[in-house]
Amino acid sequence: MDLENQQRVKDAAEKHGAENIIVILGAAEAESAGLAAETVTAGDPTYAGPLAGVQLGLSVYHAVEPEIKNAVDADVYDEQIGMMEMVLDVDAIAQEMASIRSQYSKY
Amino acid sequence: MFAVVKGTSYVLVHAPDATIHNGSTQTMERATNPNSEYLKKLKSHLRKYEDVVAYPPNQVYIGNKSPEDLLGIDKPWYQNGIPGADRYGSMGEVMPQDEFYGLMKISDAFDLVKLEKGFAASVKKKLSSHRLLGESIAGRLGEGVDLSEIEGLVENHHAEGMYMDGNLVGCVKRAHDRDINLSAHVMFENLMTKASGILALINLFQLNNIDPGSVEYVIECSEEACGDMNQRGGGNFAKAIAEIAGCVNATGSDTRGFCAAPTHALIEAAALVKAGVYKNVAVVAGGATAKLGMNGKDHVAKGLPVLEDVLGGFAVLIGENDGKNPVLRTDLVGFHTVGTGSSPQAVITSLVITPLEKGGLKITDVDKYSVEMQNPEITVPAGAGDVPTANYKMIGALGVKRNELKREELGEFTKNHGMPGFAPTQGHIPSGVPFLGHCRDMMEKGQIQRAMIVGKGSLFLGRMTNLFDGVSIVMEKNSGEVTDETGVSEEKIKAMIAQSLKEFAAQLLSE
């Protein structure tokens, strides 16, 4: 996750409280989604950005996960995400995200 | 009358020392973590020139292999170099770093580049035997200066060093003592862009038998900015490149749009020619020094060579319809508007579906899509995935949603209407344009009839807007019919004359 986005997430968590924040990712690969999810939960694994060593433990999902899909109007979801749902490896992404959440999410 | 693609060229410049000293990933690392493991390991992960020439994607880029040939070469490609590969290709070349430093000196109009005497002499000799440059251009190199002068400039006057195998052989001086836009760092980057653009333009002219004097306008579409503190990005790379490449009858300007700029430039050039403003317009771009080794940390961590060790450049000549070369359908253009939105679906619809609908075409009516043609061997280890394949899947998925394709045909669609990525990750270089040359070849051989060139750009990087951007254009095999909206074709005139003669003869016979 780039350094500026790390700062934005950190600021948002400080302003609104970590328990009130959900991070929704759109990364194209399970690996990069996992890294971003790790960054906003356990801290920046590259130790380069503002979230290095900061364990926010935020609630984090990928846009193609069922939790998000079920929370969104079906027509809107189809219009905005339907194509990418067909393209991405949804199972691999969901598995990676669930793994990160179970390890590091506090909310 | 639609404009045509009269010729293309593609060049690469091997720049291992510039990767170490000038790539932004490396300069940032040196500034923040000078003793890092990455910097220690970096040198042992750099490739030799011969390996860079033999690297299969590079051979595709310069035209010696087709994109499809990559499907038959085992991965990793960096371990399966093409035996006996030639530095010169049918569409360009891979230039070694020392020759390129010489070309930078030749490109330098303000005596900012200093080369060491012995180095200058050896480079002059090498450039004299270059297949295109020859003695007349190599002769402009000059004598060079003593190493002590260069050392003094680097140590005491903020000059940017030029290295060969770690040894100082030259430098680029700053062009002003206070103005950061004219600092040695910026001048080094801009001269690299200028010289690689010149190399592309010279290849375009000579490999396609084009008279530089026939070019009336040059559009430069790289991602660098030249100007001083009062007009950062004032330009004009285009005219500076045109000057050295011998385009005495041309003016020009720079077009910017991040990675999408080359496709914007292509459409602009085609429109200018179609409108009759200029007869021949050259689109050219040099390479981006800052992007050398951009994903180097991932490559080194995963035990790969640093594969981003080349600058890329390209040039295309757009001219009036000659009845032979492929036409650029400026009536079938896609563009991502301010109101389009940034979801991938909205983006692909605006860039791919809209132009097809204008022509009453289906997704499968386009034989080949040229999207962001990044070499996946560079991007996958960096976590960015296989970019061209992802794009083909998105286009195919949209075809499924539009009932133009069955879901089970998605895999075949990607294979048949796409191709493996083969371009270096130099920002603007992979975006749509690397396929123009191969496309022209394939259309000439009758292998394909229609292609779409798609350029996309991430504008947020400049922090002026969060909007996405992109444009696209359909390219078609020339039907041979040279028509004008206001006139009729040559064939039609011949047919009309023949008809009149027949009628006249019939009249004579009946009399």
Side-chain angles (χ1 to χ4, degrees), chain B residues 304-338:
Chain B
L304 274 68
V306 172
L307 297 167
E308 293 162 306
D309 52 4
V310 290
L311 296 176
F314 80 95
V316 188
L317 188 74
I318 310 300
E320 291 176 316
N321 196 341
D322 52 8
K324 284 190 310 193
N325 282 299
V327 295
L328 288 165
R329 292 285 303 265
T330 30
D331 59 336
L332 304 182
V333 163
F335 44 102
H336 180 279
T337 67
V338 168

Short mmCIF file of all heavy atoms in Angstrom, two decimals, chain B residues 304-338:
data_model
loop_
_atom_site.label_atom_id
_atom_site.label_comp_id
_atom_site.label_asym_id
_atom_site.label_seq_id
_atom_site.Cartn_x
_atom_site.Cartn_y
_atom_site.Cartn_z
N LEU B 304 15.45 -12.75 -9.00
CA LEU B 304 15.44 -12.50 -10.45
C LEU B 304 16.51 -11.47 -10.80
O LEU B 304 16.94 -10.70 -9.94
CB LEU B 304 14.09 -11.92 -10.86
CG LEU B 304 12.92 -12.83 -11.18
CD1 LEU B 304 12.44 -13.54 -9.94
CD2 LEU B 304 11.79 -12.02 -11.78
N PRO B 305 16.88 -11.42 -12.09
CA PRO B 305 17.68 -10.27 -12.51
C PRO B 305 16.80 -9.01 -12.42
O PRO B 305 15.58 -9.12 -12.45
CB PRO B 305 18.00 -10.56 -13.99
CG PRO B 305 17.50 -11.92 -14.28
CD PRO B 305 16.55 -12.32 -13.21
N VAL B 306 17.44 -7.85 -12.30
CA VAL B 306 16.67 -6.60 -12.36
C VAL B 306 16.29 -6.41 -13.82
O VAL B 306 17.12 -6.05 -14.65
CB VAL B 306 17.50 -5.42 -11.81
CG1 VAL B 306 16.78 -4.10 -12.04
CG2 VAL B 306 17.74 -5.63 -10.32
N LEU B 307 15.03 -6.70 -14.14
CA LEU B 307 14.61 -6.76 -15.55
C LEU B 307 14.28 -5.38 -16.13
O LEU B 307 14.13 -5.24 -17.34
CB LEU B 307 13.40 -7.69 -15.69
CG LEU B 307 13.68 -9.16 -15.33
CD1 LEU B 307 12.37 -9.93 -15.18
CD2 LEU B 307 14.57 -9.82 -16.36
N GLU B 308 14.17 -4.40 -15.26
CA GLU B 308 13.89 -3.03 -15.76
C GLU B 308 15.21 -2.30 -15.95
O GLU B 308 15.51 -1.33 -15.24
CB GLU B 308 12.97 -2.30 -14.79
CG GLU B 308 11.58 -2.90 -14.75
CD GLU B 308 10.80 -2.48 -13.52
OE1 GLU B 308 11.32 -2.65 -12.40
OE2 GLU B 308 9.68 -2.00 -13.68
N ASP B 309 16.01 -2.79 -16.90
CA ASP B 309 17.34 -2.24 -17.11
C ASP B 309 17.48 -1.57 -18.47
O ASP B 309 18.58 -1.34 -18.94
CB ASP B 309 18.39 -3.36 -16.96
CG ASP B 309 18.07 -4.58 -17.82
OD1 ASP B 309 17.08 -4.53 -18.58
OD2 ASP B 309 18.81 -5.57 -17.74
N VAL B 310 16.34 -1.29 -19.12
CA VAL B 310 16.39 -0.63 -20.43
C VAL B 310 15.47 0.58 -20.47
O VAL B 310 14.40 0.59 -19.87
CB VAL B 310 15.98 -1.58 -21.58
CG1 VAL B 310 17.03 -2.64 -21.80
CG2 VAL B 310 14.61 -2.19 -21.35
N LEU B 311 15.92 1.60 -21.22
CA LEU B 311 15.03 2.69 -21.59
C LEU B 311 14.30 2.24 -22.85
O LEU B 311 14.88 1.56 -23.69
CB LEU B 311 15.82 3.96 -21.95
CG LEU B 311 16.66 4.64 -20.89
CD1 LEU B 311 17.40 5.81 -21.54
CD2 LEU B 311 15.78 5.15 -19.76
N GLY B 312 13.05 2.64 -22.99
CA GLY B 312 12.32 2.32 -24.22
C GLY B 312 12.07 3.58 -25.03
O GLY B 312 11.99 4.68 -24.47
N GLY B 313 11.98 3.42 -26.33
CA GLY B 313 11.61 4.54 -27.19
C GLY B 313 10.84 4.01 -28.39
O GLY B 313 10.95 2.83 -28.73
N PHE B 314 10.04 4.86 -28.99
CA PHE B 314 9.35 4.44 -30.22
C PHE B 314 9.07 5.65 -31.09
O PHE B 314 9.11 6.80 -30.60
CB PHE B 314 8.04 3.69 -29.90
CG PHE B 314 6.90 4.63 -29.57
CD1 PHE B 314 6.01 5.03 -30.56
CD2 PHE B 314 6.76 5.13 -28.30
CE1 PHE B 314 4.99 5.92 -30.27
CE2 PHE B 314 5.74 6.02 -28.00
CZ PHE B 314 4.85 6.41 -28.99
N ALA B 315 8.81 5.40 -32.36
CA ALA B 315 8.38 6.48 -33.26
C ALA B 315 7.44 5.89 -34.31
O ALA B 315 7.59 4.73 -34.69
CB ALA B 315 9.59 7.13 -33.92
N VAL B 316 6.48 6.69 -34.72
CA VAL B 316 5.51 6.26 -35.74
C VAL B 316 5.32 7.41 -36.71
O VAL B 316 5.25 8.56 -36.29
CB VAL B 316 4.11 5.98 -35.09
CG1 VAL B 316 3.17 5.37 -36.09
CG2 VAL B 316 4.23 5.10 -33.87
N LEU B 317 5.24 7.09 -37.99
CA LEU B 317 4.94 8.15 -38.95
C LEU B 317 3.51 7.97 -39.47
O LEU B 317 3.14 6.91 -39.97
CB LEU B 317 5.91 8.14 -40.14
CG LEU B 317 5.69 9.37 -41.04
CD1 LEU B 317 6.25 10.63 -40.39
CD2 LEU B 317 6.30 9.18 -42.42
N ILE B 318 2.73 9.03 -39.30
CA ILE B 318 1.35 9.04 -39.78
C ILE B 318 1.30 9.93 -41.02
O ILE B 318 1.78 11.07 -40.99
CB ILE B 318 0.40 9.61 -38.69
CG1 ILE B 318 0.63 8.94 -37.34
CG2 ILE B 318 -1.06 9.50 -39.14
CD1 ILE B 318 0.42 7.47 -37.30
N GLY B 319 0.75 9.38 -42.10
CA GLY B 319 0.70 10.15 -43.34
C GLY B 319 -0.63 10.00 -44.06
O GLY B 319 -1.55 9.32 -43.57
N GLU B 320 -0.71 10.62 -45.24
CA GLU B 320 -1.95 10.56 -46.01
C GLU B 320 -2.17 9.16 -46.56
O GLU B 320 -1.22 8.41 -46.81
CB GLU B 320 -1.86 11.55 -47.18
CG GLU B 320 -1.88 12.99 -46.71
CD GLU B 320 -1.69 13.97 -47.88
OE1 GLU B 320 -0.80 13.71 -48.73
OE2 GLU B 320 -2.44 14.94 -47.94
N ASN B 321 -3.42 8.82 -46.78
CA ASN B 321 -3.77 7.48 -47.27
C ASN B 321 -3.08 7.18 -48.60
O ASN B 321 -3.24 7.92 -49.57
CB ASN B 321 -5.30 7.37 -47.43
CG ASN B 321 -5.75 5.92 -47.54
OD1 ASN B 321 -4.95 5.03 -47.84
ND2 ASN B 321 -7.02 5.69 -47.30
N ASP B 322 -2.30 6.10 -48.60
CA ASP B 322 -1.56 5.72 -49.80
C ASP B 322 -2.15 4.45 -50.43
O ASP B 322 -1.57 3.89 -51.35
CB ASP B 322 -0.08 5.50 -49.46
CG ASP B 322 0.10 4.53 -48.28
OD1 ASP B 322 -0.91 3.93 -47.84
OD2 ASP B 322 1.23 4.38 -47.80
N GLY B 323 -3.27 4.00 -49.89
CA GLY B 323 -3.90 2.79 -50.42
C GLY B 323 -3.20 1.51 -50.01
O GLY B 323 -3.61 0.42 -50.39
N LYS B 324 -2.13 1.61 -49.22
CA LYS B 324 -1.36 0.42 -48.83
C LYS B 324 -1.31 0.23 -47.32
O LYS B 324 -1.64 -0.82 -46.79
CB LYS B 324 0.09 0.56 -49.33
CG LYS B 324 0.27 0.33 -50.82
CD LYS B 324 1.76 0.24 -51.17
CE LYS B 324 2.53 1.41 -50.60
NZ LYS B 324 3.86 1.60 -51.10
N ASN B 325 -0.85 1.24 -46.63
CA ASN B 325 -0.62 1.10 -45.19
C ASN B 325 -1.95 1.12 -44.40
O ASN B 325 -2.94 1.67 -44.88
CB ASN B 325 0.30 2.22 -44.71
CG ASN B 325 1.75 1.94 -45.05
OD1 ASN B 325 2.31 0.95 -44.59
ND2 ASN B 325 2.34 2.77 -45.89
N PRO B 326 -1.94 0.51 -43.22
CA PRO B 326 -3.18 0.44 -42.42
C PRO B 326 -3.72 1.82 -42.05
O PRO B 326 -2.95 2.74 -41.76
CB PRO B 326 -2.77 -0.33 -41.17
CG PRO B 326 -1.32 -0.54 -41.23
CD PRO B 326 -0.81 -0.19 -42.57
N VAL B 327 -5.04 1.92 -42.06
CA VAL B 327 -5.68 3.21 -41.78
C VAL B 327 -6.02 3.33 -40.30
O VAL B 327 -6.30 2.35 -39.63
CB VAL B 327 -6.97 3.42 -42.61
CG1 VAL B 327 -6.66 3.48 -44.08
CG2 VAL B 327 -7.99 2.33 -42.32
N LEU B 328 -5.99 4.56 -39.83
CA LEU B 328 -6.42 4.86 -38.45
C LEU B 328 -7.82 5.42 -38.52
O LEU B 328 -8.04 6.51 -39.07
CB LEU B 328 -5.45 5.86 -37.81
CG LEU B 328 -4.08 5.27 -37.47
CD1 LEU B 328 -3.07 6.37 -37.18
CD2 LEU B 328 -4.16 4.30 -36.30
N ARG B 329 -8.77 4.66 -38.00
CA ARG B 329 -10.19 5.04 -38.10
C ARG B 329 -10.53 6.10 -37.05
O ARG B 329 -10.99 5.78 -35.97
CB ARG B 329 -11.07 3.79 -37.93
CG ARG B 329 -10.96 2.78 -39.07
CD ARG B 329 -11.69 3.25 -40.31
NE ARG B 329 -13.09 3.54 -40.06
CZ ARG B 329 -14.10 2.69 -40.28
NH1 ARG B 329 -13.86 1.47 -40.72
NH2 ARG B 329 -15.34 3.06 -40.04
N THR B 330 -10.30 7.33 -37.40
CA THR B 330 -10.57 8.42 -36.45
C THR B 330 -12.07 8.59 -36.20
O THR B 330 -12.46 9.36 -35.32
CB THR B 330 -9.95 9.75 -36.94
OG1 THR B 330 -9.91 9.75 -38.36
CG2 THR B 330 -8.54 9.91 -36.43
N ASP B 331 -12.90 7.84 -36.95
CA ASP B 331 -14.33 7.86 -36.63
C ASP B 331 -14.67 6.79 -35.58
O ASP B 331 -15.77 6.78 -35.04
CB ASP B 331 -15.17 7.63 -37.90
CG ASP B 331 -14.85 6.31 -38.59
OD1 ASP B 331 -13.72 5.79 -38.39
OD2 ASP B 331 -15.71 5.78 -39.31
N LEU B 332 -13.73 5.89 -35.31
CA LEU B 332 -13.96 4.84 -34.30
C LEU B 332 -12.98 5.01 -33.14
O LEU B 332 -12.06 4.23 -32.94
CB LEU B 332 -13.81 3.44 -34.93
CG LEU B 332 -14.69 3.13 -36.15
CD1 LEU B 332 -14.47 1.71 -36.61
CD2 LEU B 332 -16.16 3.37 -35.84
N VAL B 333 -13.20 6.09 -32.40
CA VAL B 333 -12.32 6.43 -31.30
C VAL B 333 -13.08 6.30 -29.99
O VAL B 333 -14.26 6.64 -29.92
CB VAL B 333 -11.80 7.89 -31.49
CG1 VAL B 333 -11.23 8.44 -30.21
CG2 VAL B 333 -10.76 7.94 -32.60
N GLY B 334 -12.41 5.76 -28.97
CA GLY B 334 -13.02 5.69 -27.63
C GLY B 334 -12.32 6.66 -26.71
O GLY B 334 -11.12 6.86 -26.83
N PHE B 335 -13.06 7.27 -25.81
CA PHE B 335 -12.39 8.15 -24.85
C PHE B 335 -13.10 8.13 -23.51
O PHE B 335 -14.32 8.16 -23.43
CB PHE B 335 -12.21 9.57 -25.37
CG PHE B 335 -13.40 10.17 -26.07
CD1 PHE B 335 -14.21 11.08 -25.42
CD2 PHE B 335 -13.68 9.84 -27.40
CE1 PHE B 335 -15.29 11.66 -26.07
CE2 PHE B 335 -14.77 10.41 -28.05
CZ PHE B 335 -15.58 11.32 -27.39
N HIS B 336 -12.27 8.07 -22.48
CA HIS B 336 -12.77 8.08 -21.11
C HIS B 336 -13.04 9.54 -20.74
O HIS B 336 -12.12 10.35 -20.69
CB HIS B 336 -11.71 7.47 -20.19
CG HIS B 336 -12.12 7.43 -18.76
ND1 HIS B 336 -12.03 8.52 -17.93
CD2 HIS B 336 -12.65 6.43 -18.02
CE1 HIS B 336 -12.47 8.18 -16.73
NE2 HIS B 336 -12.85 6.92 -16.76
N THR B 337 -14.30 9.87 -20.49
CA THR B 337 -14.64 11.27 -20.22
C THR B 337 -14.60 11.57 -18.73
O THR B 337 -14.53 10.66 -17.90
CB THR B 337 -16.06 11.59 -20.73
OG1 THR B 337 -17.00 10.85 -19.93
CG2 THR B 337 -16.23 11.20 -22.19
N VAL B 338 -14.70 12.84 -18.40
CA VAL B 338 -14.73 13.26 -16.99
C VAL B 338 -15.89 12.57 -16.28
O VAL B 338 -15.77 12.16 -15.13
CB VAL B 338 -14.86 14.80 -16.91
CG1 VAL B 338 -15.18 15.25 -15.49
CG2 VAL B 338 -13.58 15.47 -17.39
#
